[in-house]
Amino acid sequence: MIRPAELIQRKRDGGELEPDELAELVLGYARDEVPDYQMAAFCMAVFFRGLSPAETFALTDAMVRSGDTLDLASALGRTVVDKHSTGGVGDKTSIAVGPVVAACGVPFGKMSGRGLGHTGGTLDKLEAIPGFRVELSEEEFVAQVREVGLAIIGQTGDLVPADKRLYGLRDVTATVDNVQLIAASIMSKKIAAGADAIVLDVKVGDGAFMKTLEDARTLARTMIELGERAGRRVACLLTDMDQPLGRAVGNALELREARATLRGEGPSDFTELVLSASAHLLAFSDLGIDEAEGRRRAEATLGDGSALERYERWIRAQGGDPSEDVLPQAPVVRPVEAPTGGHVHALRALPVGIAALELGAGRVRKDDAIDHAVGVVCMRKRGDAVQPGEALAELHAPDEDAATASAEAVLAAYELGPEAPPERPIVLDVVT
Ligand code: URA
């Protein structure tokens, strides 16, 4: 039997733990035999001392073994691909990528999460659709992926309970933003959910966990190594989160934008990310095509109506009404006007995410209710020209007072200058 205090001390002093010691600690924590205070001290020791590659894999493997695992590939008899984002502002990528990949004939079954803080969650966005069910049983999930080619649901059963507890603990002990802990947390969930190949979207910048490209590359390499040790293929897109993704931030607003993108009418940065992620997923699939052909097929689905048709079938299959008219609309819609003319030099993602949160689009505490109608639409983004008095953004608010309060914050997120800044692509790098 391990003594947690001994392991905490060894990690605190820069030593290395054996795989079975880490497994006992993590599985003991998941069974409630190791108390929160010891696990919190352990996380803080890891925060300062880090984990070796062998320790990171042992932690991930123990987290996977803490609960159920799913074997979607065997159930479907197909190669199953999955995507995951490290979280950002305006990130509705899965809602558009799922229908594109499914329209190309590749099954897409994904378990998503809810938002906490300034980053939104896919499940919250989908719940803006009246009637949409995010809770399907495992059998319903598999049947829907088989019949419709696509399902996105909340986590079923008891997948990686150790991460659920550990993430909650890290959140309140300032130990979230450590590369090895983030990598183990994300990859344990992806491995347990059973995909053969995974495309990870690692966000970089103001609105992301990883503030620099260098840190994002380290996280990407760590996750790729964990995936490969577990026999999965992994590619990481490092993507810009200095400004919000696309224009819309807020649940129903983002769904409208995802829908427009599936008709080929989306903002250019978001469309590019959807195509790039889809191309990598298709290249990992059992279609036997490369990324260039994957991109060609993905593009075709946006032009010929098949991605939108698949979206509508998917939403109906999960009990929702896929038309745009049923999405909730905020009672107050007000522009944020440019005080001077020029070009947008910066549009910081974090304050826009916080403004949307304060309008009611997200939750501060786990049990807060969400207002699906509200949010911010960024009409001008980095590089765009604007005349004095033209709209930089549009606020969708529950009332006039809330609109007034967020107008100042959104205006402060913009930095205007006389010339257009150098272009920065949405996909900054791909690590494989
Ligand atoms: N997302 C996760 O699932 N886990 C982390 O630790 C950070 C982001």
Side-chain angles (χ1 to χ4, degrees), residues 63 84-87 163 166-167 170 175-189 209 219:
M63 298 219 290
H84 186 86
S85 147
T86 56
D163 179 65
L166 202 56
Y167 191 84
R170 287 166 55 214
T175 52
V176 169
D177 45 354
N178 167 273
V179 165
Q180 291 98 30
L181 293 178
I182 294 175
S185 165
I186 291 175
M187 290 308 293
S188 62
K189 285 176 284 199
F209 282 123
L219 177 61

Side-chain angles (χ1 to χ4, degrees), residues 63-64 66-70 82 84 109-114 122-124 126-127 133-138 141 151-165 167 185-194 318:
M63 298 219 290
V64 171
S66 72
D68 301 336
T69 56
L70 210 67
D82 196 357
H84 186 86
K110 179 167 166 51
M111 292 187 192
S112 283
R114 297 190 181 278
T122 300
L123 295 185
D124 297 323
L126 290 169
E127 280 180 344
R133 287 171 60 212
V134 298
E135 280 169 22
L136 302 190
S137 68
E138 212 172 296
F141 176 60
I152 299 183
I153 62 167
Q155 208 168 287
T156 66
D158 200 24
L159 235 68
V160 202
D163 179 65
K164 213 173 193 172
R165 281 201 69 187
Y167 191 84
S185 165
I186 291 175
M187 290 308 293
S188 62
K189 285 176 284 199
K190 296 290 103 182
I191 293 166
Q318 277 180 245

Side-chain angles (χ1 to χ4, degrees), residues 295-355:
R295 189 178 172 105
R296 203 194 56 70
R297 293 192 193 184
E299 269 170 355
T301 69
L302 303 188
D304 66 11
S306 58
L308 184 61
E309 190 235 351
R310 190 62 66 126
Y311 169 84
E312 293 185 344
R313 264 181 74 194
W314 158 46
I315 300 300
R316 272 194 217 99
Q318 277 180 245
D321 180 337
S323 61
E324 235 174 293
D325 324 335
V326 296
L327 292 172
Q329 298 206 5
V332 174
V333 179
R334 191 200 288 180
V336 177
E337 291 169 0
T340 58
H343 286 85
V344 177
H345 267 225
L347 163 57
R348 290 190 301 122
L350 185 59
V352 175
I354 292 172

Side-chain angles (χ1 to χ4, degrees), residues 1-76:
M1 183 61 195
I2 53 146
R3 282 205 326 109
E6 208 176 291
L7 303 188
I8 297 164
Q9 184 181 0
R10 198 180 326 143
K11 183 45 68 185
R12 183 199 68 190
D13 296 342
E16 180 146 354
L17 271 51
E18 294 301 322
D20 55 349
E21 291 175 326
L22 267 162
E24 258 196 77
L25 183 69
V26 170
L27 296 172
Y29 180 60
R31 285 194 301 263
D32 238 347
E33 292 162 14
V34 174
D36 274 346
Y37 54 83
Q38 285 187 312
M39 207 59 191
F42 177 74
C43 286
M44 192 55 85
V46 170
F47 185 87
F48 285 113
R49 292 293 191 174
L51 293 173
S52 70
E55 286 176 315
T56 312
F57 181 68
L59 173 66
T60 309
D61 185 54
M63 298 219 290
V64 171
R65 286 191 283 124
S66 72
D68 301 336
T69 56
L70 210 67
D71 190 359
L72 207 51
S74 298
L76 296 171

Side-chain angles (χ1 to χ4, degrees), residues 279-299:
H280 281 89
L281 286 163
L282 293 174
F284 273 160
S285 76
D286 52 16
L287 294 182
I289 59 175
D290 64 10
E291 195 203 317
E293 174 62 12
R295 189 178 172 105
R296 203 194 56 70
R297 293 192 193 184
E299 269 170 355

